[in-house]
Amino acid sequence: MDNRPLPWLLALVAAIAYTAVEAFRPFPFSWLLKALPALALLQWSLGRTVLGPRPLLYLALAAAACGDIALDFGHNSHLVPGLGAFSLTQLCLCLLLWRHPAGRPSWQWVTLPAGTLVFLWLIWPYLDGRAPLLALYSLLLTAMVMGAIRANLNWQSQLGAALFLISDSMIAIDTFVYHSQLGMTTIFVTYFAALMLLVTGLTAPRSESGTGDPAPPSAATPPHQSP
């Protein structure tokens, strides 16, 4: 059991609360409520074992909180500072994930950029002068997801990375193609879940199988026999 559950519970409650009231923005301190899950997860992860250099995870969460604050003022009007902050988040996550040896065959992750290129091709006619920045961020996000699948640390990190990709792709659609309240709600559900799953996965032990299941006993180790 987690002996420091309060920051985790705070992150969960804040995520649910913001998703529930996001439609009523702007309201006082909405930016703080949106950044609270990332900040609470940062506090929760302090001192924990991290699958990689701890400062990278701390910086990723701090940058995510900054991106949350920027985008709370509007996905369209504050897209550039939001992309800048979350680019730092993705870079830190890439450095954490790509440092691990490959836990999956290459064919399971090298094809991901093709999907990103198809997505960019489909929405490109709807984009404005910020299209190059969005394209660069999309490639960095894809590299993070590739790193998570490649490393195969556990199911939490892989699902979290996939949800991050879904959330940010939906932000692009909502900003440039079609806006809907249902889309906004889905964005926040997938984003907050992605953040919590990634932090859980990057602070969880890595099993030999990379799936989070207990590692099987080695066949090379002879059974212990009583004298």
Side-chain angles (χ1 to χ4, degrees), residues 60 78 134 167:
H78 290 72
L134 183 64
S167 176

Side-chain angles (χ1 to χ4, degrees), residues 15 26 32 53 66-67 69 78 80 108 117 124 129 153 170 177 192 209 216:
L32 178 59
C66 292
I69 292 172
H78 290 72
V80 173
Q108 294 185 4
L117 293 176
W124 200 266
L153 298 178
M170 292 190 65
V177 182
F192 288 128
S209 61

Side-chain angles (χ1 to χ4, degrees), residues 86-174:
F86 277 107
S87 292
L88 182 56
T89 295
Q90 304 304 341
L91 179 60
C92 291
L93 292 175
C94 280
L95 293 175
L96 280 168
L97 293 165
W98 280 88
R99 67 186 303 275
H100 296 282
R104 286 184 181 274
S106 60
W107 63 267
Q108 294 185 4
W109 47 271
V110 296
T111 55
L112 287 175
T116 298
L117 293 176
V118 170
F119 175 78
L120 289 172
W121 176 71
L122 289 173
I123 68 167
W124 200 266
Y126 301 93
L127 302 181
D128 54 23
R130 297 168 292 183
L133 293 177
L134 183 64
L136 289 175
Y137 175 77
S138 298
L139 294 176
L140 187 57
L141 174 61
T142 302
M144 185 277 290
V145 180
M146 291 173 65
I149 297 176
R150 173 185 175 275
N152 194 26
L153 298 178
N154 42 59
W155 68 268
Q156 295 98 324
S157 60
Q158 295 176 77
L159 179 58
L163 288 176
F164 220 135
L165 180 63
I166 293 172
S167 176
D168 283 1
S169 298
M170 292 190 65
I171 288 177
I173 294 172
D174 183 87

Side-chain angles (χ1 to χ4, degrees), residues 169-194:
S169 298
M170 292 190 65
I171 288 177
I173 294 172
D174 183 87
T175 302
F176 296 103
V177 182
Y178 179 76
H179 172 75
S180 70
Q181 187 53 49
L182 178 60
M184 292 293 289
T185 301
T186 307
I187 286 169
F188 294 121
V189 169
T190 52
Y191 165 66
F192 288 128

